Amino acid sequence: MVRLSVKKGNDSLFIHDTTVKQNVAELVTDILAVYGLRLKVLRLCDEMQSLAKHGHFLPPDMQGLTEDQIEELKLHDKYEKICVPQGGSVECEDPIGRRSGKAPNESMAEVIMKTITDAKEGVSNKIAAANKSLTVKDVEDCLDKLKGAIMIVYPMKLPTYDPVQAEIDNCEDLSGTQASLEVIEKEHGSLWWAGKELMPEKTLEDYIGKNEKTKIIVKLAKKGSSAPGREQQMTEEQKKQMMAWQYKKQEEMKKLHTADDGDDYYNSKWANSGALKNQFQGIGNIKWGPS
């Protein structure tokens, strides 16, 4: 089993298990399946958090308008009496005017928020830090939990234009959003390792050899984009240790420069011709010369 630590840029995403015999094109498809579902979970969590605070999405022609403007234009939210959360709603105005302000009550909001927390933990990069792989099934389980929470709180469903319902129905429109920049379609994805793009017609074995017990870092990118930056040769912890070592050496050199050249060498171990004898006799700490 080959273990791939999948990164995008400098961000660790998840660990994917495969074999050296797998075709690179199939490998990219498998990794993008996990990557795409993981993005979906995170998007859904963000929108559900907003739903729990401010209720369902307003019709597009009512968003951002004041109550006076809505009344003047004679606009009406036909889902206002349909999308009533289980147990009734509480008033909580949306400051950006996207949602109705009719939020679920405290207990139902807690159901949503608890599910969000569990789902985020289920796809967190902390799983990779714990050296555990993330599969399509793992991410789909998180999605199912999120969908289940929505069914509990909103048994009559949400408006089709609500981002939460759109994600659930797989008809989300991400055009013009920041989230769209993160999405990589399977025909546009590529993998990089050791500064080289893995060619789709080859197998992993062509690059890393036949050893199945291998762990490498691969970087996910869009085809045609520039090569991702190479991995740092040292970790942050290693850098700190090296800096501490250099500082220690500098301090030692300062002491040598400030020492009295005429007498200081008397205190050195090499200046004591009887050092070995003294060590055996247990008097190795005696120094010669002025202290």
Side-chain angles (χ1 to χ4, degrees):
M1 178 185 70
V2 179
R3 179 149 282 194
L4 306 180
S5 178
V6 181
K7 300 183 74 172
K8 188 172 184 290
N10 293 322
D11 298 328
S12 294
L13 302 179
F14 53 87
I15 287 177
H16 180 78
D17 292 334
T18 183
T19 70
V20 295
K21 298 294 184 182
Q22 187 172 26
N23 178 267
V24 170
E26 295 175 354
L27 177 61
V28 172
T29 300
D30 291 346
I31 287 177
L32 283 177
V34 178
Y35 174 74
L37 285 171
R38 184 176 179 271
L39 286 180
K40 188 178 186 69
V41 166
L42 296 176
R43 290 196 305 267
L44 190 51
C45 285
D46 289 342
E47 289 296 345
M48 284 176 61
Q49 189 168 348
S50 180
L51 173 69
K53 290 181 179 179
H54 305 296
H56 69 274
F57 227 55
L58 285 170
D61 58 354
M62 291 177 62
Q63 292 179 23
L65 300 180
T66 64
E67 290 185 7
D68 291 340
Q69 289 172 325
I70 291 173
E71 185 176 348
E72 183 180 346
L73 294 171
K74 298 180 180 180
L75 300 175
H76 177 66
D77 178 11
K78 66 178 182 179
Y79 286 96
E80 183 176 358
K81 295 182 180 180
I82 299 174
C83 296
V84 178
Q86 191 79 267
S89 62
V90 294
E91 292 293 330
C92 185
E93 184 180 355
D94 183 359
I96 59 176
R98 292 199 317 160
R99 294 188 173 273
S100 65
K102 299 185 181 301
N105 62 35
E106 186 177 351
S107 62
M108 290 295 100
E110 180 62 27
V111 169
I112 294 177
M113 297 306 294
K114 174 67 168 60
T115 309
I116 289 173
T117 300
D118 292 344
K120 283 186 174 181
E121 288 179 357
V123 299
S124 170
N125 54 14
K126 292 179 181 179
I127 297 176
N131 203 31
K132 295 180 180 178
S133 63
L134 188 67
T135 66
V136 167
K137 186 180 183 306
D138 294 332
V139 188
E140 286 178 340
D141 286 344
C142 293
L143 273 174
D144 289 341
K145 290 176 182 177
L146 293 171
K147 293 176 183 178
I150 295 301
M151 290 178 66
I152 291 171
V153 181
Y154 289 93
M156 301 300 290
K157 288 191 174 185
L158 294 162
T160 54
Y161 49 77
D162 192 301
V164 173
Q165 192 63 48
E167 290 284 358
I168 291 174
D169 295 337
N170 294 319
C171 57
E172 65 273 14
D173 181 11
L174 303 179
S175 56
T177 66
Q178 184 66 29
S180 66
L181 302 177
E182 295 293 320
V183 175
I184 302 177
E185 302 296 338
K186 65 178 182 180
E187 62 272 15
H188 297 144
S190 64
L191 281 180
W192 292 72
W193 172 69
K196 299 176 183 178
E197 184 177 4
L198 306 187
M199 294 295 102
E201 67 275 6
K202 294 188 176 183
T203 65
L204 207 52
E205 183 179 19
D206 294 326
Y207 294 96
I208 66 173
K210 298 181 179 181
N211 186 5
E212 290 284 358
K213 295 182 179 180
T214 304
K215 182 175 181 179
I216 62 173
I217 295 175
V218 295
K219 293 204 171 184
L220 194 57
K222 292 183 179 180
K223 284 183 180 178
S225 61
S226 57
R230 290 200 175 214
E231 286 296 293
Q232 297 181 356
Q233 297 299 315
M234 293 187 295
T235 64
E236 291 300 318
E237 184 60 30
Q238 289 172 330
K239 286 182 180 179
K240 289 179 182 179
Q241 291 176 358
M242 178 168 283
M243 290 175 66
W245 180 83
Q246 289 177 335
Y247 176 77
K248 182 179 178 182
K249 296 299 290 183
Q250 287 175 355
E251 292 300 307
E252 290 177 353
M253 292 301 295
K254 286 179 183 179
K255 289 180 181 179
L256 287 174
H257 285 305
T258 56
D260 183 356
D261 292 338
D263 299 323
D264 192 62
Y265 72 91
Y266 284 114
N267 292 327
S268 301
K269 290 183 179 180
W270 56 265
N272 183 7
S273 59
L276 182 60
K277 179 181 177 182
N278 291 341
Q279 184 176 351
F280 281 114
Q281 293 178 345
I283 56 174
N285 292 327
I286 296 177
K287 296 182 180 179
W288 300 95
S291 58

